[in-house]
Amino acid sequence: MTTSQHKVFNIVKERLSEFDVTPVQYGVLQCIWQFDIDSPNEVANFLDIENSTISGILERMEKKDLIIREIDVNDRRFIKIKLTDKSKALEEPINIAAEEVNEKILSMFTKEEERDLKKYLRRICTL
């Protein structure tokens, strides 16, 4: 499983490199684009990564002008993540690239195998 995960990660990394976005940064962007998650803690929980790790990821994303971290006006103890114009413009091309990667990987399976693989991966996600 580790070898398969690493292989897929490298394919995704290579495909996203043209956008200067890493796979984990793509995960953060997806949290915002798809689910409107705007809190670092919620992003960390959704992606199942440590809060201390998300802080560094967000810092690097801010340096790349992908996000802005703002103090929550209602509670200054909390930070909100906002998209920049750059990351908003990247949503469609990055999602197309991610879909191309999915299609490339899934093309080696029959439709039945693809269905089973997705079922088994969903089961692993429930651990």
Side-chain angles (χ1 to χ4, degrees):
M1 283 181 35
T2 301
T3 304
S4 298
Q5 178 189 10
H6 186 70
K7 182 70 172 176
V8 171
F9 181 87
N10 282 336
I11 292 169
V12 172
K13 181 179 175 183
E14 181 180 323
R15 186 62 179 93
L16 294 178
S17 67
E18 73 178 89
F19 306 106
D20 193 27
V21 171
T22 67
V24 73
Q25 291 170 349
Y26 167 70
V28 171
L29 290 170
Q30 273 300 102
C31 285
I32 303 167
W33 291 332
Q34 190 171 356
F35 303 108
D36 291 324
I37 297 173
D38 65 356
S39 130
N41 188 43
E42 289 177 28
V43 170
N45 287 338
F46 189 88
L47 297 177
D48 197 24
I49 57 180
E50 297 293 323
N51 284 330
S52 57
T53 302
I54 198 68
S55 180
I57 294 166
L58 294 176
E59 183 176 328
R60 287 184 291 283
M61 290 178 75
E62 196 166 31
K63 287 179 182 175
K64 291 181 177 183
D65 191 35
L66 294 170
I67 61 151
I68 299 167
R69 292 182 290 178
E70 296 179 344
I71 303 294
D72 187 331
V73 293
N74 297 319
D75 190 337
R76 297 191 54 78
R77 296 174 296 171
F78 295 102
I79 294 173
K80 295 276 190 184
I81 305 167
K82 306 285 183 189
L83 295 172
T84 62
D85 289 341
K86 178 180 177 179
S87 62
K88 290 174 186 175
L90 287 174
E91 182 176 5
E92 184 177 353
I94 286 178
N95 282 332
I96 289 169
E99 186 57 35
E100 289 170 355
V101 169
N102 287 340
E103 289 172 7
K104 176 181 179 177
I105 292 167
L106 293 174
S107 71
M108 67 180 68
F109 300 103
T110 66
K111 289 296 176 189
E112 183 179 329
E113 290 171 332
E114 178 183 336
R115 186 191 71 240
D116 289 345
L117 176 63
K118 288 178 180 180
K119 178 176 76 173
Y120 299 140
L121 290 172
R122 281 188 209 97
R123 189 180 303 167
I124 291 170
C125 287
T126 64
L127 294 176

